[in-house]
Amino acid sequence: MAVPQWQGYAMNVLLIGPPGSGKGTQGDRLAERLNVAHIAAGDLLRDEVENGTPLGERVGELMRKGDLVPDAVIISLLMPRVLAAADRNGYLLDGFPRSVEQAVEARKLAEMASAGPDAVIYLDVPREELSRRILARADVEGRSDDNPETVRNRLKVFDEATHPLVEYYRERGLLHVVNADQDEDAVTAEIMSALESVG
Ligand code: AMP
């Protein structure tokens, strides 16, 4: 099998997109293809809530309402994992950063360790399709934040806090916009082809 050009050095990728854009699914696939650690912010937070840890107690209600958890909480949970992964094969980080403030803070911490992102993938999906996907997923996964009221808030939080990251990363020459309104295989193929030009 041909060796992809990124093998042999650590590749660090951020996956950003609105709720329902397929971050989790694409994150799993990409981490495997790129042979890097998949770090999913939402999954790590849900584990804390399920295990009833002090951190979980602090964030459970915010997550149920679809609000962001405090920056200091998510940064202290993720950054040790991000730095450790960057030191090995690299990372595929989904769901973080979720605001320009988080990106700036993470950059300060990552820069010292040369652990910043090499590429940022933005999963672009029309609004009607997002709502349809999330409500379909609600029946299967049973997430407590996949109900119509919370979904509305999560989309609003995305527009206000997270979407400005698109410009932030475009200005830094790291952004790749991918059409995520296609079947899963086509989305993965488009991302992989965008990443071929990186590095
Ligand atoms: P997700 O699984 O990525 O949709 O995240 C689920 C929930 O976890 C979000 O609605 C937020 O409440 C919280 N969350 C995930 N990532 C972050 C983050 N980077 N900053 C703040 N809150 C987050």
Side-chain angles (χ1 to χ4, degrees):
M1 205 174 84
V3 179
Q5 70 177 95
W6 50 81
Q7 282 190 3
Y9 74 94
M11 181 177 239
N12 301 326
V13 180
L14 303 182
L15 197 53
I16 60 178
S21 59
K23 295 191 298 292
T25 307
Q26 295 300 329
D28 281 337
R29 289 170 162 223
L30 294 169
E32 199 184 318
R33 300 258 186 118
L34 299 169
N35 189 29
V36 299
H38 181 193
I39 305 172
D43 287 352
L44 291 172
L45 288 168
R46 278 185 287 278
D47 284 349
E48 299 282 329
V49 174
E50 269 159 38
N51 295 329
T53 65
L55 192 154
E57 304 253 307
R58 223 181 130 192
V59 301
E61 182 61 11
L62 289 166
M63 291 178 71
R64 205 189 50 72
K65 290 192 298 195
D67 289 331
L68 296 183
V69 312
D71 289 353
V73 170
I74 189 75
I75 286 169
S76 63
L77 183 67
L78 291 183
M79 286 313 285
R81 292 171 166 84
V82 168
L83 297 179
D87 209 31
R88 296 191 299 267
N89 291 348
Y91 59 77
L92 187 293
L93 185 47
D94 92 57
F96 179 88
R98 256 190 136 104
S99 65
V100 172
E101 290 76 11
Q102 288 183 1
V104 169
E105 193 54 36
R107 186 157 163 234
K108 281 192 219 144
L109 298 169
E111 229 162 36
M112 289 177 273
S114 305
D118 301 303
V120 178
I121 304 291
Y122 176 60
L123 299 177
D124 194 20
V125 181
R127 193 48 58 97
E128 323 76 73
E129 172 63 9
L130 291 176
S131 309
R132 194 196 63 71
R133 284 189 194 176
I134 299 173
L135 297 175
R137 172 174 87 182
D139 292 338
V140 182
E141 293 182 13
R143 266 174 63 163
S144 64
D145 60 354
D146 276 348
N147 61 78
E149 192 190 334
T150 304
V151 167
R152 261 196 305 279
N153 188 41
R154 286 162 65 206
L155 290 168
K156 179 164 166 273
V157 168
F158 175 80
D159 289 340
E160 290 173 2
T162 311
H163 193 264
L165 285 171
V166 170
E167 248 350 278
Y168 177 85
Y169 286 120
R170 199 195 307 276
E171 282 165 10
R172 282 161 182 75
L174 292 172
L175 187 75
H176 302 265
V177 176
V178 166
N179 171 18
D181 188 18
Q182 317 178 61
D183 71 56
E184 291 171 359
D185 290 344
V187 177
T188 308
E190 200 174 315
I191 298 171
M192 292 303 286
S193 119
L195 292 178
E196 264 169 35
S197 63
V198 175

